[in-house]
Amino acid sequence: GEVLAAVESLYADRVLPFGRILLKRIRERSAAAAAAGGAVDVDAAPLIDPKGLRQVCEECGELIVQPEDGKEYSVLIVGRLHEFVDVCSPVDYHPAAMWEKLAEYLETLPAEEAELPGGRYACAQVLAGRRLPFLQHCSLGEVCHIVQLALSKRNLLGYSEGSIVPFGRSLEDVKSQFAARKQPLSKAAEGLPLATWDEARAGLWDILTSSKDGAITLSNAKRFFRSSFGMELSETALGYGRMTDLLMDARFGDICHLESRGKIQFVV
């Protein structure tokens, strides 16, 4: 009964009940019930066995379990229509006035309120829980989408030491400043020559053509460059704040492209 109720609550929030999200929601509801109107401490809620939860869902006649990327799965209610928000969609349908209010809010946040949870879902929960007027008509799923766009497209949020923070406090903002000055950011670059555009192109071509299947993970590109050529492939030194943006530059168009395989990005 509690599992079905938790799934229904995610339907109401327009959040697709992935297994990891369902597990969190059950613990949230358990913590809220134990608090009896007082302060809710989710960390104090009993831990749930992920495999056991999936088995309960599979054995429930009112639920359908669907496989997702990797080992993830989602849970749907039999015969129930849904309007889940695609939180990863790049389409920005939110009103300009909302973005203006959010930007203003984030710019004026005091330090003690500026450090938000590092997960998109948990960050959205905190923002929704603050009862901000410009988010009051949004479902939790829509707030998750807003967080995603604020991170990926709007440069309103970024990351710092595992937390989500206003962009001006983030590593991404620091990187964009270094990129504007075309300076390396990585400490690993100290003592190593920086790859020029020509060296970056030739080096990446050499790495890809000598790799087993003509592809490497994006996260390993810099490491391979250092070990193979004794040079630092620095996106900021070449004028970009992110490695993904650097590799999508037209100058790499005849060398490689990015490809997502599940949740992992590859340089191919």
Side-chain angles (χ1 to χ4, degrees):
E2 178 52 37
V3 172
L4 179 59
V7 174
E8 289 181 329
S9 72
L10 289 169
Y11 265 66
D13 285 338
R14 298 184 64 195
V15 174
L16 177 62
F18 286 110
R20 68 182 188 282
I21 299 296
L22 178 58
L23 188 148
K24 290 179 182 179
R25 178 55 58 92
I26 293 172
R27 294 191 72 205
E28 290 163 7
R29 290 170 59 85
S30 174
V40 177
D41 183 4
V42 176
D43 291 334
L47 294 174
I48 299 170
D49 175 25
K51 291 183 179 179
L53 174 59
R54 179 164 186 164
Q55 184 176 350
V56 169
C57 293
E58 289 173 338
E59 293 175 353
C60 178
E62 296 179 74
L63 299 175
I64 301 172
V65 175
Q66 297 187 144
E68 301 286 348
D69 288 341
K71 296 182 180 180
E72 186 58 280
Y73 65 95
S74 59
V75 182
L76 301 178
I77 300 173
V78 175
R80 180 78 61 87
L81 296 177
H82 56 76
E83 294 182 341
F84 301 131
V85 176
D86 180 359
V87 298
C88 293
S89 170
V91 178
D92 183 356
Y93 55 82
H94 306 285
M98 185 282 298
W99 288 118
E100 291 171 5
K101 292 292 185 182
L102 178 59
E104 181 181 335
Y105 170 75
L106 293 172
E107 286 173 4
T108 57
L109 262 185
E112 62 271 17
E113 296 179 20
E115 194 170 301
L116 300 163
R120 182 177 53 208
Y121 170 81
C123 178
Q125 280 189 311
V126 170
L127 291 175
R130 290 180 179 177
R131 311 291 183 189
L132 303 172
F134 52 88
L135 295 179
Q136 63 181 348
H137 299 301
C138 298
S139 66
L140 181 60
E142 288 172 313
V143 180
C144 287
H145 186 228
I146 288 167
V147 169
Q148 172 66 17
L149 292 175
L151 285 165
S152 63
K153 294 185 71 174
R154 288 277 180 168
N155 284 350
L156 293 180
L157 292 172
Y159 290 96
S160 177
E161 298 182 351
S163 297
I164 291 176
V165 296
F167 190 78
R169 299 172 181 263
S170 69
L171 176 60
E172 288 91 342
D173 186 46
V174 173
K175 290 181 75 173
S176 67
Q177 294 177 35
F178 273 73
R181 298 193 296 267
K182 295 192 175 180
Q183 294 178 336
L185 175 65
S186 172
K187 290 183 178 179
E190 295 176 2
L192 291 177
L194 299 173
T196 63
W197 275 104
D198 287 342
E199 290 167 336
R201 280 172 45 82
L204 201 53
W205 173 257
D206 187 70
I207 290 170
L208 291 173
T209 53
S210 60
S211 65
K212 185 177 180 181
D213 60 352
I216 59 171
T217 58
L218 176 62
S219 59
N220 278 324
K222 289 188 175 186
R223 182 174 64 82
F224 284 147
F225 221 90
R226 293 186 199 114
S227 61
S228 299
F229 310 112
M231 287 190 293
E232 179 69 12
L233 179 59
S234 169
E235 66 273 33
T236 56
L238 294 173
Y240 283 95
R242 298 188 305 174
M243 197 65 174
T244 51
D245 294 334
L246 170 68
L247 296 180
M248 288 193 294
D249 186 284
R251 282 166 281 194
F252 282 110
D254 60 339
I255 302 293
C256 65
H257 66 275
L258 296 177
E259 183 178 294
S260 294
R261 300 178 184 177
K263 295 182 179 180
I264 301 175
Q265 275 199 305
F266 282 79
V267 185
V268 181

